[in-house]
């Protein structure tokens, strides 16, 4: 964090907006926790981006100061983050960790969250392994090898680490998946906001879901079952969709189509 950002546009932008940075820190110091919209945009140079962050100067400044451990999220109200000085949110007795050691720790935690990964993405750690039927080397977190496994059924976020790496998901699970919210509707294969479904140790389906709150219904325009999916897999998906509807305070689930073999 102390070395961030590296050379490049982020460092140049922070340097050009030093006064803006000081104002944000001073406001938090004086007024306490604030939303981003409670802070004035005093940027001398606007943040330029080809994406949704273009000219979102306050949000970008807060993100950058968070990356430098100068501010932190103290709580959330709905979808809004409430920011404060990091010194008032995080423990201040933590020892400084050298950058090389921090990278090693991060690599270990990343591999532990994945369980198994390609060597190039594991940061030279892990135990070498082979996966039957899959070409190329892998590495695994050795601590997980002897741990007992009990499967369950779960709807996954599109950003879950199990499916985030598309090549890994395809190689290990034969599961082709892509979040298609930015794909034109006519070109979508599965739907707008599609949730992968884990059942036991397999990815068995993709559920296109939409909450229609006025009607109290969780609508599933299409439930795409994987090739070889069983009746038990379908029932597991239906049960998890019911649980999701209950969590969203919706009265019922309506599955328009169940598509097999995709």
């Amino acid at each position: 964090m102390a070395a961030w950002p590296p050379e490049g546009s982020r460092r140049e932008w922070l340097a050009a907006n030093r006064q803006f940075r000081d104002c944000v820190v001073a406001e938090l110091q004086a007024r306490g926790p604030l939303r981003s919209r409670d802070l004035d945009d005093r940027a001398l140079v606007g943040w330029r981006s080809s994406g949704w962050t273009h000219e979102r100067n306050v949000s970008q400044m807060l993100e950058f100061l968070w990356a430098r451990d100068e501010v932190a999220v103290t709580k959330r109200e709905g979808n809004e983050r409430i920011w404060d000085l990091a010194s008032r949110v995080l423990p201040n007795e933590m020892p400084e960790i050298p950058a090389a050691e921090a990278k090693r720790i991060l690599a270990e935690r990343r591999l532990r969250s994945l369980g198994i990964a390609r060597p190039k993405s594991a940061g030279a750690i892990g135990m070498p392994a082979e996966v039957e039927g899959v070409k190329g080397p892998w590495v695994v977190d050795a601590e997980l090898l002897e741990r007992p496994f009990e499967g369950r059924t779960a709807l996954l976020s599109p950003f879950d680490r199990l499916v985030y790496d598309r090549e890994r998901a395809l190689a290990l699970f034969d599961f082709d998946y892509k979040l298609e919210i930015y794909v034109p509707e006519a070109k979508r294969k599965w739907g707008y906001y599609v949730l992968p479904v884990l059942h036991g140790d397999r990815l068995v389906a993709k559920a296109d879901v939409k909450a229609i709150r006025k009607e109290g219904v969780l609508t599933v325009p299409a439930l795409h079952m994987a090739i070889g999916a069983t009746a038990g897999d379908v029932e597991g998906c239906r049960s998890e969709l019911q649980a999701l509807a209950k969590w969203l305070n919706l009265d019922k689930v309506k599955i328009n189509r169940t598509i097999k073999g995709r």
Side-chain angles (χ1 to χ4, degrees):
M1 285 180 164
W4 196 93
E7 297 295 335
S9 59
R10 292 180 177 87
R11 172 165 290 194
E12 293 169 3
W13 188 77
L14 279 174
N17 285 295
R18 182 69 190 183
Q19 284 186 311
F20 179 29
R21 175 262 174 204
D22 292 344
C23 286
V24 168
V25 172
E27 284 286 283
L28 291 172
Q29 177 71 53
R31 297 168 60 192
L34 297 171
R35 302 172 180 84
S36 61
R37 57 187 169 92
D38 296 328
L39 294 161
D40 293 332
D41 182 353
R42 301 187 182 184
L44 298 178
V45 178
W47 175 254
R48 304 187 66 81
S49 167
S50 60
W52 69 275
T53 61
H54 185 70
E55 290 290 347
R56 296 174 67 93
N57 298 319
V58 174
S59 295
Q60 285 301 102
M61 179 58 73
L62 288 168
E63 291 286 348
F64 291 175
L65 295 182
W66 169 79
R68 288 183 51 80
D69 194 32
E70 295 185 40
V71 304
V73 176
T74 185
K75 63 180 180 178
R76 291 177 182 266
E77 293 182 358
N79 292 326
E80 288 190 290
R81 293 179 291 182
I82 311 301
W83 298 88
D84 199 357
L85 299 179
S87 60
R88 295 198 291 228
V89 177
L90 303 174
N92 55 15
E93 298 177 356
M94 298 173 64
E96 184 173 328
I97 301 174
E101 176 68 4
K103 289 179 179 179
R104 184 190 63 79
I105 294 171
L106 179 61
E108 289 179 348
R109 292 180 178 179
R110 183 183 294 116
L111 181 59
R112 184 169 297 116
S113 72
L114 291 171
I116 182 171
R118 293 293 191 185
K120 66 179 181 180
S121 63
I125 62 170
M127 179 179 292
E130 294 182 1
V131 178
E132 185 176 353
V134 181
K135 294 181 179 180
W138 296 83
V139 292
V140 299
D141 181 355
E143 293 185 10
L144 300 179
L145 291 177
E146 303 302 325
R147 184 178 297 181
F149 173 77
E150 183 177 348
R152 65 186 181 93
T153 306
L155 288 165
L156 303 181
S157 161
F159 307 103
D160 192 284
R161 298 296 294 177
L162 195 63
V163 295
Y164 188 80
D165 185 333
R166 294 178 61 195
E167 292 185 5
R168 177 179 177 275
L170 188 60
L172 292 176
F173 299 98
D174 195 25
F175 191 75
D176 187 15
Y177 175 73
K178 177 182 179 181
L179 182 61
E180 297 180 306
I181 58 175
Y182 300 117
V183 176
E185 184 174 358
K187 295 184 178 180
R188 291 175 191 150
K189 295 174 63 177
W190 302 297
Y192 176 73
Y193 197 80
V194 177
L195 305 180
V197 185
L198 174 70
H199 186 60
D201 60 357
R202 295 175 298 121
L203 291 165
V204 299
K206 308 174 187 76
D208 183 15
V209 297
K210 182 178 182 180
I212 304 179
R213 296 190 178 276
K214 291 183 179 180
E215 300 177 12
V217 176
L218 179 68
T219 297
V220 184
L223 177 61
H224 302 271
M225 302 304 302
I227 295 174
T230 66
D233 296 333
V234 176
E235 183 57 33
C237 292
R238 291 178 179 273
S239 178
E240 281 301 299
L241 290 167
Q242 291 287 350
L244 176 61
K246 182 179 180 180
W247 184 70
L248 293 171
N249 294 318
L250 301 174
D251 298 326
K252 61 181 180 179
V253 175
K254 181 181 179 182
I255 301 176
N256 295 343
R257 293 187 300 159
T258 299
I259 303 172
K260 297 183 179 181
R262 295 182 67 182

